[in-house]
Amino acid sequence: MSAATAAPAAGVRPDARISPRAHLRHTGALVRRNLLWIRQDPESMFDAVLFPVVFTLLFVYVFGGSIGQSLGGGQEAYVQYIVPGLMAMMGMNMSQGVGTGFNQDFNTGVMDRFRSLPIGRGSVLFAKISVELVRMLIATAILLVVGVLVGFDVTNWPGLFAAVGLSTVFGSALMWVFLTLGVVMKNAQSVQAMGFLVLMPLQFGSSIFAPTQSMPGWLQNFTAYNPLSALADAARGLMVGGPVAHDLWMVLAWSVGMTAVMAPVAIHKFRTKT
Amino acid sequence: MTRHDERTGGAKSAVTVRGLVKHYGETRALDGIDLDVAEGTVRGVLGPNGAGKTTLVRILSTLLAPTAGHATVAGYDVVRQPRQLRRVIGLTGQYASVDEKLSGWENLYLIGRLLDLPRKEARRRSDELLERFSLTEAARRPAGAYSGGMRRRLDLAASMIGRPEVLFLDEPTTGLDPRTRNEVWDEVKRLVGEGVTVLLTTQYMEEAEQLASELTVVDRGKVIAGGGIEELKARVGGRTLRIRPADPLQLRPLAAALDELGITGLAGTTVDAERGSVLVPVLSDEQLTVVVGAVTARGITLNSLTTELPSLDEVFLSLTGHRAGVPQDALSADTSEEVVAV
């Protein structure tokens, strides 16, 4: 049986490369694995389904009236404001789950098996991100449906698709950050704690939930550089009209930057984790 | 298992390890390991917890980079040719590395696809291996619902999908009950019968005795001793005769008579009342013959007469000066016996 894969003299032959097609095939097989997880454990979709429903209803009906007044309208004005904002938040929430989920995966022996197989270094990570993006798109679709039901008025349909695309790009960039945390940190709890620590100020110190004009000066400065503000404002501009260009570039720059830095780090850490 | 103390000299080496070192900060997990595993043999790596066994397996299966030294598996260098190497190995870790949320069948199919088997072939191979490891009935159930033994068997099946040349078994039966352990052993023996080279790590003396033909004893990252199992036992000294008279009342007179012979070595003659037998350590075939002659001369009817090799636990003790890491549990109670006469 060893004749077919005859062993060469040590170190003489260069290592085999993995073709792009093989990469795709491996990623596909691993995507299938992650989808089977969802089928086996449908409750894992609860967050994707419930989060947009609960947040939309909560913010529109609890805070909508009072925050809406500062927007020069009422609850109706706030619906137009918060729905794009929540869309920006979607990527954050989903990516946090990526980190904890991946970390738990690591603490079983399965990852050892994957890493001892002749597959590309990124396949496992790409598959995880692909499936999470699907979850994120489902959550976004639910958000938009609930949004329309409570009165959200899309004035620019192509813009809506652009906004969804933009938040997906940003979401995938964030997922690389959390994947890295998931690989590096010891347990799922610390990944979650870390995520919470980073995400809370980013979420609330932004223009997602309320306009920033009434915030103190130092906080306004923070929100101005917060990519989540840019994403929320860009989504608003794209879907309901308003300036877009500056925010759009800022989001893209953040996304490219985070991916360029974190994706190689995540893949490297994944391979060399002991 | 009829393999004997074959040195790797003539046969082709499936695993070659030279001066392998792995440091974690101050800790020297591996401190210069040399090891050869001849093709088609089973090499046991025996040592207590923390001896470096798992680190060794992780380096050989490319999960960990060595600090120094080098190693090849099936001729591929672990550092420079990891992808080719991964194609010819199978790994079964200390903890069953199966995806608990997937069914047994899906676990195998996934591995098949990751090993570049075409869909149809991956399906066929999954069915075949489930059948072979007696998991067909549980094929569609999630692996998380499997018993410990079923999981290990699934894990072994997953390791075999790519028809590996070299199989690494890292403590394959740790934490299993004796019955399940025997199941796993039987599977491993079958694999070995098909010509797979196996490197097995274990803390259990009995496991090494059951599965391995060659043994390397490691302790604190170093090789303490190596060679054929029988040879290692012989180095520690002699055999023990277990003599069981038909009439238990003859136990003490028999022991006294044998003591008079004055040939018994280190431990002296002892009586194992529980099993109704007298234990006599002998150092040579001549001594054995003398003992048998003395028993015959006294006209004592025997129920059985067996020779026992010293347990590997004793081997370890005399080689390293301390006991193997785990307390004696149910595992090493029975050592294999070589029947001389009944």
Side-chain angles (χ1 to χ4, degrees):
Chain A
M1 70 177 270
S2 57
T5 41
V12 178
R13 276 205 333 220
D15 199 13
R17 305 300 312 176
I18 289 159
S19 72
R21 270 195 68 177
H23 259 297
L24 267 180
R25 197 167 50 237
H26 299 154
T27 307
L30 290 160
V31 164
R32 178 188 154 93
R33 163 184 185 244
N34 285 292
L35 290 176
L36 284 169
W37 275 31
I38 295 176
R39 201 179 69 179
Q40 178 66 32
D41 180 19
E43 285 168 31
S44 65
M45 284 302 285
F46 269 21
D47 58 341
V49 175
L50 288 182
F51 167 80
V53 178
V54 171
F55 267 64
T56 310
L57 297 180
L58 175 76
F59 275 90
V60 168
Y61 292 115
V62 177
F63 306 114
S66 45
I67 306 180
Q69 279 175 1
S70 70
L71 293 165
Q75 193 182 295
E76 299 77 38
Y78 190 60
V79 171
Q80 295 299 94
Y81 188 88
I82 188 67
V83 171
L86 288 176
M87 191 195 276
M89 221 179 112
M90 214 63 69
M92 290 242 96
N93 275 55
M94 292 295 143
S95 56
Q96 199 180 347
V98 176
T100 49
F102 204 63
N103 187 278
Q104 285 167 341
D105 222 3
F106 238 113
N107 291 330
T108 69
V110 188
M111 283 298 171
D112 279 351
R113 164 142 285 142
F114 290 158
R115 295 193 312 151
S116 70
L117 288 172
I119 59 175
R121 306 204 298 173
S123 302
V124 179
L125 305 178
F126 286 128
K128 182 77 181 169
I129 286 190
S130 309
V131 173
E132 291 305 313
L133 286 179
V134 169
R135 262 158 53 85
M136 183 180 155
L137 286 176
I138 291 172
T140 306
I142 292 172
L143 167 74
L144 288 172
V145 170
V146 177
V148 168
L149 288 179
V150 299
F152 181 62
D153 184 15
V154 183
T155 57
N156 180 0
W157 283 92
L160 178 137
F161 288 106
V164 171
L166 191 66
S167 62
T168 308
V169 168
F170 185 76
S172 69
L174 267 181
M175 284 177 195
W176 284 113
V177 177
F178 278 94
L179 271 185
T180 310
L181 283 181
V183 176
V184 172
M185 300 191 90
K186 285 231 155 39
N187 56 53
Q189 281 84 350
S190 42
V191 177
Q192 199 157 20
M194 188 72 183
F196 188 74
L197 224 63
V198 174
L199 291 189
M200 278 311 262
L202 280 178
Q203 272 175 15
F204 288 98
S206 77
S207 63
I208 287 181
F209 302 107
T212 57
Q213 291 93 310
S214 58
M215 297 178 186
W218 60 268
L219 190 54
Q220 281 194 34
N221 287 336
F222 178 77
T223 61
Y225 291 101
N226 186 343
L228 281 184
S229 294
L231 181 58
D233 291 342
R236 270 174 208 125
L238 287 167
M239 287 196 280
V240 298
V244 167
H246 172 261
D247 294 315
L248 187 74
W249 287 117
M250 193 162 149
V251 173
L252 287 177
W254 270 99
S255 304
V256 171
M258 283 195 292
T259 308
V261 175
M262 298 317 280
V265 173
I267 292 174
H268 177 73
K269 291 283 177 198
F270 175 70
R271 253 310 166 211
T272 54
K273 186 171 169 105
T274 51
Chain B
M1 299 277 295
T2 49
R3 265 191 204 94
H4 279 287
D5 321 338
E6 287 173 351
R7 286 287 178 178
T8 53
K12 237 173 103 198
S13 182
V15 179
T16 310
V17 176
R18 290 288 173 271
L20 207 61
V21 174
K22 178 71 187 178
H23 291 180
Y24 293 104
E26 292 292 290
T27 320
R28 288 161 170 256
L30 293 184
D31 200 4
I33 297 265
D34 294 313
L35 188 72
D36 287 285
V37 187
E39 234 171 50
T41 65
V42 182
R43 163 73 64 165
V45 175
L46 175 72
N49 263 329
K53 304 185 299 292
T54 297
T55 306
L56 175 66
V57 168
R58 292 180 75 84
I59 290 176
L60 292 177
S61 53
T62 76
L63 295 177
L64 203 58
T67 310
H70 76 265
T72 61
V73 177
Y76 298 112
D77 189 282
V78 292
V79 176
R80 282 175 295 175
Q81 299 167 300
R83 293 196 196 91
Q84 280 163 317
L85 194 157
R86 286 178 197 134
R87 212 164 271 287
V88 297
I89 60 165
L91 170 67
T92 293
Q94 197 163 341
Y95 306 99
S97 41
V98 296
D99 191 325
E100 301 197 345
K101 290 188 192 166
L102 299 191
S103 70
W105 190 88
E106 286 289 355
N107 263 290
L108 298 188
Y109 180 75
L110 170 64
I111 305 293
R113 291 293 288 157
L114 293 177
L115 283 165
D116 296 324
L117 296 183
R119 280 195 184 80
K120 209 173 151 193
E121 171 68 10
R123 257 182 237 128
R124 206 187 54 73
R125 189 97 176 111
S126 305
D127 291 336
E128 177 188 308
L129 283 166
L130 285 169
E131 174 78 42
R132 176 184 163 166
F133 285 88
S134 323
L135 290 167
T136 304
E137 263 173 54
R140 303 282 157 187
R141 290 213 305 270
Y146 284 16
S147 69
M150 287 163 79
R151 266 191 232 198
R152 298 287 173 119
R153 293 207 310 265
L154 181 61
D155 201 5
L156 268 179
S159 306
M160 293 310 295
I161 289 194
R163 304 179 196 278
E165 292 173 43
V166 180
L167 185 60
F168 296 111
L169 301 176
D170 189 16
E171 304 198 7
T173 62
T174 296
L176 294 184
D177 61 75
R179 195 178 61 85
T180 319
R181 199 188 59 219
N182 284 323
E183 277 173 31
V184 174
W185 283 351
D186 288 344
E187 291 299 346
V188 173
K189 285 176 190 167
R190 280 173 64 189
L191 296 179
V192 172
E194 289 165 22
V196 182
T197 307
V198 177
L199 190 146
L200 162 97
T201 76
T202 184
Q203 313 188 20
Y204 300 130
M205 318 308 169
E206 195 191 352
E207 186 159 80
E209 228 170 3
Q210 282 279 332
L211 301 176
S213 47
E214 302 270 318
L215 191 62
T216 298
V217 184
V218 293
D219 189 36
R220 292 166 204 170
K222 286 195 165 113
V223 175
I224 302 292
I229 286 200
E230 311 298 313
E231 176 194 335
L232 269 179
K233 285 172 170 170
R235 260 174 66 184
V236 173
R239 286 167 291 180
T240 302
L241 265 183
R242 179 180 286 277
I243 307 169
R244 202 165 142 219
D247 179 2
L249 288 175
Q250 302 251 289
L251 263 183
R252 309 230 165 246
L254 178 62
L258 293 174
D259 255 343
E260 279 168 28
L261 292 172
I263 56 156
T264 57
L266 311 152
T269 305
T270 50
V271 174
D272 180 355
E274 208 173 303
R275 291 174 65 184
S277 48
V278 179
L279 297 171
V280 194
V282 291
L283 292 170
S284 65
D285 290 350
E286 287 73 32
Q287 291 191 350
L288 193 149
T289 316
V290 170
V291 171
V292 174
V295 174
T296 320
R298 261 152 239 269
I300 296 173
T301 316
L302 294 186
N303 208 318
S304 73
L305 175 65
T306 56
T307 61
E308 293 177 0
L309 294 161
S311 82
L312 286 172
D313 210 13
E314 286 160 4
V315 173
F316 196 85
L317 186 60
S318 61
L319 289 172
T320 66
H322 60 84
R323 291 212 155 262
V326 270
Q328 285 284 84
D329 49 23
L331 277 182
S332 40
D334 264 40
T335 50
S336 67
E337 295 178 2
E338 182 193 337
V339 176
V340 170
V342 176

